[in-house]
Amino acid sequence: MFDFKLHIKKATFIVAFFIQSICWLNFATAETNSDLIEKAYNLSIQKNRLQSVGILTQALKKESKKGKPSKDLLTTLNEISQTFYSDKAQQLYESALSLRSTDPNAALSKLNEALLSDKDNLLILLEVGRNLLSKNDCDKALEVAQKAKDIYMYIEEIDLLISQSLVCSGKLEKALDLKPIDIKTSEFSIFWQLLLAEVQYRKNNLKSLKDTLNEAAKIENKDPQTYYWQWKLQLGIKESGVRDASK
């Protein structure tokens, strides 16, 4: 005789066992940040930068939804993004740095050559962007910065380059969209302060400019750009700026 109650009990047990097995399987296969970092480094050793960065980016996306991303993940992402996979690329990059102020065209040529043998190296991409900014080629600098952002979306230095490129292009309203909420806590605090100063000057917001420069002076009072904007401020408020101009 068919025992309906016994059949239900067996079915319930099987379902419960199946669900428990899935839970244990997920627990057993869940990867920690340390596991992901090790996997990313192993891929980087194999010169598979994009897959390595992809693993770290996905982990950072998950953590960003919960709160502040892991410092270890960000540190690893920065290290892998700047790793040279080619001795030739590193030599070209260093040569370009030495030519930055004396021959920007030659420097850019070497950087572009370096990218051919070390594609997506963040140090090279950032230097290309800065080189273009120095030549006032704002749109191309922005294009390079956006390319870097598409690959390394959690690296603040790229946000800074994008913002500098937007200011260079005169797109002041969008220029500070990527600025950290609290500039003072940023590793690039002085550069954000000076960028903010330029935006305020261009908007003729001299009172805010004065406050920003006071904050910038607390961080780094010997940066030539700080003196430059102090001089521009003094001209704007009809004061003598000879001292800061000479500095």
Side-chain angles (χ1 to χ4, degrees):
M1 182 177 175
F2 179 75
D3 190 334
F4 182 75
K5 289 184 179 179
L6 180 61
H7 181 74
I8 292 296
K9 285 181 179 179
K10 286 182 178 179
T12 303
F13 174 78
I14 290 170
V15 171
F17 179 77
F18 179 71
I19 292 172
Q20 187 179 41
S21 298
I22 292 174
C23 291
W24 277 108
L25 181 63
N26 287 338
F27 177 77
T29 57
E31 291 181 299
T32 64
N33 283 350
S34 295
D35 294 330
L36 294 170
I37 287 170
E38 183 179 359
K39 186 181 287 187
Y41 274 129
N42 287 335
L43 285 165
S44 181
I45 290 170
Q46 299 168 38
K47 299 185 179 181
N48 194 339
R49 196 195 313 268
L50 291 183
Q51 192 174 346
S52 174
V53 168
I55 287 171
L56 296 170
T57 301
Q58 287 303 314
L60 285 164
K61 279 182 181 178
K62 289 180 182 178
E63 291 208 340
S64 294
K65 292 176 182 178
K66 301 175 185 177
K68 195 173 181 180
S70 160
K71 187 176 180 181
D72 289 340
L73 287 172
L74 288 171
T75 298
T76 306
L77 178 61
N78 270 288
E79 287 180 5
I80 290 174
S81 72
Q82 298 178 24
T83 299
F84 282 95
Y85 292 153
S86 158
D87 290 339
K88 180 182 178 182
Q90 185 167 2
Q91 290 166 6
L92 287 165
Y93 169 76
E94 291 171 356
S95 178
L97 292 184
S98 68
L99 294 167
R100 177 193 284 168
S101 57
T102 57
D103 193 344
N105 289 327
L108 183 59
S109 177
K110 288 184 179 295
L111 290 168
N112 286 327
E113 187 180 349
L115 282 174
L116 293 176
S117 54
D118 204 344
K119 186 181 178 183
D120 303 322
N121 182 298
L122 182 58
L123 285 176
I124 302 173
L125 289 171
L126 288 171
E127 190 60 27
V128 169
R130 291 170 185 145
N131 180 288
L132 291 167
L133 281 180
S134 72
K135 292 155 61 73
N136 212 35
D137 200 339
C138 313
D139 291 338
K140 281 190 178 179
L142 181 58
E143 186 180 325
V144 170
Q146 290 288 5
K147 177 188 174 182
K149 181 72 172 176
D150 290 341
I151 304 168
Y152 310 107
M153 61 184 296
Y154 286 99
I155 294 183
E156 185 187 337
E157 200 168 358
I158 299 171
D159 294 341
L160 178 61
L161 180 59
I162 289 173
S163 300
Q164 290 169 333
S165 301
L166 288 168
V167 171
C168 177
S169 299
K171 299 171 184 175
L172 303 182
E173 298 308 319
K174 294 182 179 180
L176 299 174
D177 287 353
L178 296 174
K179 176 179 68 65
I181 295 173
D182 186 0
I183 291 178
K184 294 176 185 177
T185 63
S186 169
E187 179 185 353
F188 307 100
S189 181
I190 183 62
F191 301 108
W192 285 115
Q193 293 280 14
L194 292 169
L195 188 69
L196 179 58
E198 183 171 357
V199 171
Q200 290 166 340
Y201 177 78
R202 290 198 185 195
K203 288 184 173 182
N204 200 35
N205 191 342
L206 300 182
K207 183 180 183 304
S208 296
L209 173 59
K210 184 176 182 179
D211 294 338
T212 297
L213 290 174
N214 286 337
E215 288 297 322
K218 293 176 186 177
I219 301 167
E220 176 55 78
N221 61 5
K222 294 181 180 179
D223 192 299
Q225 292 182 80
T226 306
Y227 295 129
Y228 173 79
W229 290 115
Q230 285 174 340
W231 169 58
K232 297 292 278 185
L233 170 64
Q234 288 160 348
L235 290 179
I237 58 178
K238 310 301 181 186
E239 288 184 2
S240 171
V242 174
R243 184 186 64 181
D244 290 313
S246 65
K247 288 180 181 178

